[in-house]
Amino acid sequence: MKKFLSSILVLTLLFALAACGGGNGENAQNDGTTETEEYLPSQIIIATGGTSGTYYPLGGGIAQIITDNTEVSATAQTTGGSVENVRLLNSQEVDMAFVQNDIADYAVNGTMMFDGAKTENLLGLASLYNETIQIVLPGNSTITSVADLKGKRVSVGAPGSGVEANAKQILELYGLTFDDLKAERLSFGDSVQQMQDGNLDAAFVTAGAPTSAVTELSATNGVKLLNIEDEKADELIKKYPFYVKETIPADTYPGVPETKTVAVKAMLAVSKTLPEDFVYNVTKALFENVDQLIAINKKAESISLETAVDGLTMDIHPGALKYYQENGVK
């Protein structure tokens, strides 16, 4: 009987310990709060964008680099882009994501389209390349300054999009709001069509230059780009540090001179649940195999250690940070 009771007691203790050790990837703290537990799955998912964009093919390349250089298999997943990717990352449906750095900033601070819904599960891994703010006009336009957009028919991007936020912030520099414009909220393709038909005076486009929609306009009606002057760019960056200065080289679009503007950064964000050693290995593999990405898309030529943390206003994952510190990145 004593042996039987002892066995019952041991089993009871084992069940109690199992109950304490199980859960949803969170550890209870002494203060009653929880801390996300690091977890390394056998396969990770990288949220990218549409199949016709830049995020998806580069995401496939990065997935292959991770698969070849770590103990984890990685897969690129098509998505609706930055805003959706943040939500997928926050809900732990994906492990890594391509995100514009301004969208990531809004997410971690709970502002703009994430107002009141601060994202907790997002850390920076690396800046990749510039997403250029292009203020596009038909080739026959007489508009010469952002200030001249007052009262004009201007596409400012889809509601709740990163383009809309960029347009709002840049117009602020010139004392304008959307109420000062005849604002339209159109996609890049629809903006081009409306300009071709003479129904739109200008459009904000946030994308790597050259952008196919803008190239299409240049081939039909010709195209002009507006400059953002250096002092205005400095003012913008001081207020919104996720921006960087950018120069669009002459003849990026036929006949268009060198244009000064600003850009946000395409970046890789990562779940804070991924272990430090794994993220260190991913970061190392990424920067040691950039040539594989350049073969996929020339935008990868901009990926370098020198600019790896440019425009990142959120915390960087400890694994990536360790790699940067070892390589003198500040």
Side-chain angles (χ1 to χ4, degrees):
M1 178 60 73
K2 286 183 180 179
K3 287 183 179 180
F4 176 75
L5 290 174
S6 296
S7 299
I8 292 295
L9 180 60
V10 168
L11 286 171
T12 301
L13 287 170
L14 287 173
F15 278 124
L17 287 170
C20 291
N24 58 358
E26 293 183 337
N27 291 329
Q29 305 297 297
N30 291 333
D31 61 1
T33 62
T34 58
E35 178 182 306
T36 305
E37 180 182 313
E38 286 190 348
Y39 169 65
L40 182 60
S42 59
Q43 181 170 14
I44 66 167
I45 298 173
I46 305 172
T48 61
T51 55
S52 61
T54 304
Y55 287 178
Y56 181 68
L58 283 183
I62 291 172
Q64 190 62 55
I65 287 171
I66 292 171
T67 301
D68 291 345
N69 292 277
T70 76
E71 67 274 36
V72 172
S73 175
T75 305
Q77 176 177 301
T78 59
T79 70
S82 291
V83 174
E84 180 184 348
N85 290 354
V86 166
R87 292 178 176 138
L88 289 169
L89 194 62
N90 197 45
S91 61
Q92 298 185 34
E93 294 174 69
V94 301
D95 309 282
M96 297 175 63
F98 281 73
V99 186
Q100 282 183 199
N101 67 331
D102 55 334
I103 302 297
D105 184 274
Y106 306 146
V108 298
N109 290 297
T111 59
M112 301 298 287
M113 68 285 291
F114 296 98
D115 187 22
K118 190 180 289 190
T119 299
E120 302 294 341
N121 187 39
L122 187 157
L123 295 174
L125 188 144
S127 278
L128 302 177
Y129 59 87
N130 286 359
E131 298 271 23
T132 308
I133 315 299
Q134 303 168 73
I135 308 173
V136 183
L137 304 93
N140 62 356
S141 176
T142 59
I143 295 170
T144 60
S145 167
V146 176
D148 295 338
L149 296 177
K150 185 174 183 178
K152 300 297 192 295
R153 300 164 298 181
V154 182
S155 175
V156 297
S161 68
V163 179
E164 183 185 48
N166 300 148
K168 177 178 181 291
Q169 291 155 0
I170 289 166
L171 288 167
E172 281 178 2
L173 298 174
Y174 296 85
L176 299 176
T177 69
F178 291 160
D179 291 338
D180 296 310
L181 317 174
K182 295 174 183 174
E184 301 281 349
R185 288 171 167 80
L186 306 172
S187 68
F188 296 169
D190 288 342
S191 295
V192 165
Q193 186 62 57
Q194 290 299 311
M195 279 192 275
Q196 288 173 334
D197 294 342
N199 298 324
L200 194 68
D201 297 306
F204 282 81
V205 174
T206 301
T211 305
S212 58
V214 182
T215 301
E216 180 185 336
L217 179 64
S218 71
T220 53
N221 294 41
V223 70
K224 288 176 66 175
L225 298 177
L226 291 183
N227 280 283
I228 297 175
E229 302 84 356
D230 282 340
E231 61 272 17
K232 292 293 188 183
D234 290 338
E235 184 181 338
L236 183 72
I237 293 166
K238 184 176 181 180
K239 187 171 184 180
Y240 302 106
F242 44 75
Y243 283 103
V244 295
K245 286 184 177 180
E246 172 77 300
T247 299
I248 302 173
D251 293 317
T252 296
Y253 304 106
V256 178
E258 180 180 277
T259 305
K260 290 186 176 182
T261 184
V262 292
V264 291
K265 304 287 289 190
M267 62 167 285
L268 273 178
V270 62
S271 170
K272 66 172 61 173
T273 63
L274 292 176
E276 180 177 330
D277 286 350
F278 172 69
V279 176
Y280 174 91
N281 290 335
V282 168
T283 309
K284 182 175 187 290
L286 170 64
F287 286 102
E288 290 182 355
N289 293 279
V290 172
D291 56 326
Q292 290 181 223
L293 301 179
I294 294 171
I296 295 169
N297 192 296
K298 292 197 74 174
K299 282 187 172 56
E301 290 175 349
S302 299
I303 301 174
S304 73
L305 270 175
E306 288 73 20
T307 59
V309 297
D310 284 5
L312 297 189
T313 58
M314 72 296 302
D315 290 339
I316 298 172
H317 193 287
L321 189 60
K322 179 182 177 183
Y323 180 76
Y324 296 144
Q325 288 171 340
E326 288 179 358
N327 287 276
V329 178
K330 297 180 181 179

